[in-house]
Amino acid sequence: MKTPPPLLRGLREVVASAGRQRKQQQRCVSWSIVDQGLTLLLCLRHSPSVSRRRPRSLSGLLALGPLLCLHLPHRRRDATEHKMSTMANGLLQMQRLFCDELAHISRRSWRTLPRRKFASTYDKPRLSFDVIAGGEVVADSQAEVVAGKEVVVFLHGLLGNAKNLRTPAKHITRHLPQYAALVMDLRGHGGSSSSRGRRFPPPHNFDACAQDVVETLKQLGLTREKSPFAIVGHSLGGRVALQYSSLLSRDSATIGVNAPSQTYLLDTVPGQADPSVHSVLKAISSFQTPIESKASLVDTMMKEYRISKPVAAWIASNVYRTENGLDWVFDLDVANELVSNFSDQNLVEQIADVSETPSKPLLYQSMTYDAYQDNCDASQVHLVVGGKNKLWTSDVLEDLRSVPSFGTSKNSMFQMHTLDDAGHWVHVDCLEGLVKVLVNNLQSRMHTVLSDDDH
């Protein structure tokens, strides 16, 4: 792609003007590198740094600023500032050093940029989440406790919320204080639903859910070397977790978030949704809101729809009180659309792709366009199977064992762990066994395995 001359002239004018005003800072810029960098930026289809609108003057230059700053010589800066080796830090430097010059660049220089099909990071709503560190839930105002810690993201299942996985997250961060957990509400669920004032645009599919996680991490500054070490998802959350890892394994350099080293799928069964899931959604859809009480909801679920008492009680936990009665916390339309996407995701194939992608070091300071495409990260996939869940047929398990990266050693890139005493809710039925699987494998990074006595 040929670089538009007016656009390049605008970039050169910025640097030249800044150089004249700050003679003590000698900036020798290789324009060939700038040309290549600008071409790269225009080629990137998923760059998070460019707004959906056409860049105009200051905002347009700030969008291109990170790439330009990426190739400028290093300068003296405060000890607290990070080295300008990523687009995010490049943007920060562009704002600080070139603010005055940017305001005077002609808007015509930026009209050659094409419209983008995506919104900038801050145009999108952020997922609701809990921060857990040291075995305790931390207030949002203290979210900086994750600084200096390895982060593990937890994603709940269908019609659930972040509270469902608080307990295992607390156990993990208590056993391994060097880790902090982000327990998120998926779109349309819990604090990320319209009942809590957060609306996410359609389509409601796994890719959109994975993008939600990415956008939330960006807004929290958990990018590049600060990216989460692992992601854990139960059932539907496992599908989203796998989609997240797949997305980043293909394009982490462009997106700005590194692929997780480990991906955990908690009783996430391949294939279409179980018929019982459709029965529950049908029953919920039949209820007129507001609902009188939780007791009446459970009673109706059991008598009219023959739903078991534990499931009915779980459904009743997903309501909130309004002036007129109870209403659903989740967005039913989002839930129905997500379930319809189950058959579109080839879980076995995706596990193979994520766990077999060659891992290469990412050199962000000097990376060509080809390098962006070629550098990928693999994620070690751990599938936790509920031994009492009848959906795990011999055929399903055989398909999973056929994945080339499957193995039984701790270094295998795809592993399966069966909890014999657990059903679908492995984090409830066999919490101790699940925590042991998570702690042992998270701790294996330090080449130390938690013994039975330590647990």
Side-chain angles (χ1 to χ4, degrees), residues 42 50-55 111-116:
L42 295 174
V50 184
S51 167
R52 175 169 50 188
R53 300 176 180 177
R54 291 183 185 276
R111 292 176 181 171
T112 52
L113 278 176
R115 287 186 181 271
R116 302 293 172 177

Side-chain angles (χ1 to χ4, degrees), residues 7 9 46 48 50 52 78 247 264 308 338 341 380 424:
L7 190 56
R9 286 199 298 271
H46 304 292
V50 184
R52 175 169 50 188
D78 297 336
L247 173 69
Y264 293 86
S308 66
L338 287 173
N341 278 273
Q380 188 181 50
H424 181 57

Side-chain angles (χ1 to χ4, degrees), residues 45-48 50-52 116-128 187 197-203 207-219 247 255:
R45 293 174 296 174
H46 304 292
S47 172
V50 184
S51 167
R52 175 169 50 188
R116 302 293 172 177
K117 296 182 180 180
F118 49 85
S120 65
T121 299
Y122 303 104
D123 288 340
K124 296 184 178 180
R126 187 175 75 177
L127 293 175
S128 175
R187 62 164 56 198
R198 303 198 187 198
R199 297 183 181 276
F200 292 79
D207 187 62
C209 290
Q211 292 284 359
D212 294 340
V213 176
V214 169
E215 294 293 337
T216 302
L217 294 174
K218 287 181 178 180
Q219 294 190 36
L247 173 69
I255 295 170

Side-chain angles (χ1 to χ4, degrees), residues 214-230:
V214 169
E215 294 293 337
T216 302
L217 294 174
K218 287 181 178 180
Q219 294 190 36
L220 294 174
L222 296 176
T223 58
R224 301 304 190 198
E225 68 278 358
K226 297 180 183 178
S227 302
F229 173 75

Side-chain angles (χ1 to χ4, degrees), residues 50-62:
V50 184
S51 167
R52 175 169 50 188
R53 300 176 180 177
R54 291 183 185 276
R56 289 184 279 178
S57 189
L58 177 61
S59 62
L61 273 163
L62 287 180

Side-chain angles (χ1 to χ4, degrees), residues 116-159:
R116 302 293 172 177
K117 296 182 180 180
F118 49 85
S120 65
T121 299
Y122 303 104
D123 288 340
K124 296 184 178 180
R126 187 175 75 177
L127 293 175
S128 175
F129 61 88
D130 291 328
V131 179
I132 298 178
E136 301 294 337
V137 178
V138 181
D140 288 349
S141 59
Q142 297 176 306
E144 65 272 9
V145 297
V146 302
K149 294 181 181 289
E150 295 286 4
V151 176
V152 182
V153 174
F154 285 81
L155 304 176
H156 60 80
L158 184 70
L159 303 183

Side-chain angles (χ1 to χ4, degrees), residues 381-385 397 400-401 406-407 414-418:
V381 179
H382 296 267
L383 175 59
V384 179
V385 175
L397 294 173
L400 288 163
R401 293 190 184 100
F406 171 73
F414 173 44
Q415 304 174 36
M416 289 195 290
H417 314 270
T418 301

